[in-house]
Amino acid sequence: MIQTASPVFGQLAALADPTRSRILLLLEQQPLSVTELCAVVQLPQSTVSRHLKVLGDEAWTAVRSEGASRLYRLGRLEPWARKLWQAVREEVRDTATGQQDAERLLAVLAERHNRSAAFFAAAAGKWEDVRRELFGHGSVTRPLLALLDRNWVVGDLGCGPGHLAATLAPFVGRVIGVDATPEMIEAARERLAGVSNVEIWHGSLEQLPVAAGELDVALLILVLHYVADPARVLAEAGRSLKSDGRLLIVDMVPHDRVEYRETMGHRWQGFSGEQLEQWLSSAGLVLDRRIELPPDPQAKGPNLFAAIARRS
């Protein structure tokens, strides 16, 4: 810090150097690294770093870290300092040196853009792998759950070991998981131990242990093809919904994999839109939309659909 009788004079002295004024003019336009500043003002890194320290000590600049880089920018100026800077800026900008700095700044920013574009071009074919490596599976889709109403009560019907209930819990008011298999119930309760807004209940989907009108949303995710009587399950799901509640079904489109009946206990080989709509209508539900989901190239099973229904 420049030693003066008043801090104000220190700030004035810091601004008085032509090189520091050039640097400030650049940082007002764009946050820049030391390397980028060196390329624009054409001075050694030691010189630029020394000027940046003086400017930072007198609060003319601020800095933030981005990974291994540090980006400098114009600081938050007091009203008197901003007026002073406006006067100095006009003088610096109109000089031949200031105009040359502006041209070199454009070249530096273009190079920055080219480096970024080159990275994305090289990563285009494996972009999902790059993002998955950095942020994990579901890094893009899972945050979409924040769009759910935080006060909703959601029924995960056929909850299995509780994966979906655990995913939903941070985003809604309450999750009720229901499953008929004791082993699944035990696994779900173990997974969700300590999660205060999730309840796991043992019961059949044909006779849900859920009060009428208790749920804002009911989910049947890859469950319906296991039940003997889908119409009855849908009727129970409809009974559990509030008057403005919604039912989300995800299941298989019709397929010819007969072996699934033997190997995985499937009772139904997928569902057509017409069949599903008929069952929903009998259950007092209206099919709002049915969408066939894009197939996963690595998936070995039949294609899936998502259907949304509401109380009629």
Side-chain angles (χ1 to χ4, degrees), residues 43-274:
L43 289 171
Q45 181 172 333
S46 58
T47 302
V48 171
S49 296
R50 186 174 67 253
H51 284 305
L52 285 171
K53 184 178 188 313
V54 173
L55 290 169
D57 287 345
E58 301 299 337
W60 284 108
T61 62
V63 62
R64 75 170 188 269
S65 296
E66 286 194 0
S69 300
R70 289 165 61 84
L71 293 181
Y72 293 83
R73 60 174 176 79
L74 186 69
R76 296 176 63 89
L77 305 182
E78 297 289 339
W80 71 266
R82 182 159 294 279
K83 290 180 181 179
L84 175 62
W85 167 238
Q86 287 172 353
V88 173
R89 176 180 57 191
E90 298 302 320
E91 294 295 327
V92 177
R93 187 183 60 187
D94 293 337
T95 64
T97 302
Q99 293 172 6
Q100 291 168 7
D101 285 348
E103 294 174 2
R104 284 192 291 267
L105 176 61
L106 292 176
V108 165
L109 295 179
E111 176 61 25
R112 181 194 288 182
H113 173 76
N114 290 339
R115 288 196 303 271
S116 178
F119 166 77
F120 284 109
K126 53 181 180 179
W127 178 238
E128 288 304 318
D129 294 335
V130 172
R131 187 152 53 184
R132 190 178 300 115
E133 182 180 346
L134 288 174
F135 307 113
H137 291 275
S139 59
V140 175
T141 55
R142 190 170 297 142
L144 296 178
L145 294 174
L147 295 170
L148 300 177
D149 191 309
R150 68 178 66 185
N151 298 312
W152 274 355
V153 179
V154 178
D156 184 7
L157 310 182
C159 66
H163 291 281
L164 182 56
T167 302
L168 289 168
F171 300 97
V172 298
R174 185 168 157 234
V175 181
I176 299 173
V178 179
D179 206 281
T181 306
E183 292 80 6
M184 291 291 190
I185 291 293
E186 182 180 354
R189 286 175 175 165
E190 183 177 346
R191 176 185 301 277
L192 293 155
V195 181
S196 60
N197 66 332
V198 178
E199 305 163 26
I200 303 297
W201 295 346
H202 183 265
S204 71
L205 301 187
E206 292 84 355
Q207 191 172 356
L208 291 172
V210 179
E214 186 169 3
L215 303 179
D216 295 282
V217 177
L219 307 174
L220 288 166
I221 310 297
L222 296 175
V223 169
L224 210 56
H225 57 269
Y226 282 109
V227 303
D229 189 352
R232 184 174 175 184
V233 170
L234 293 173
E236 271 293 277
R239 180 191 64 81
S240 73
L241 290 173
K242 296 179 180 179
S243 59
D244 58 348
R246 294 290 187 271
L247 169 65
L248 172 62
I249 303 165
V250 176
D251 221 299
M252 298 177 292
V253 302
H255 64 86
D256 57 1
R257 310 284 184 89
V258 181
E259 66 273 16
Y260 287 176
R261 292 179 178 269
E262 296 296 328
T263 59
M264 289 184 278
H266 291 192
R267 299 193 180 195
W268 296 85
Q269 291 176 226
F271 304 99
S272 68
E274 293 77 14

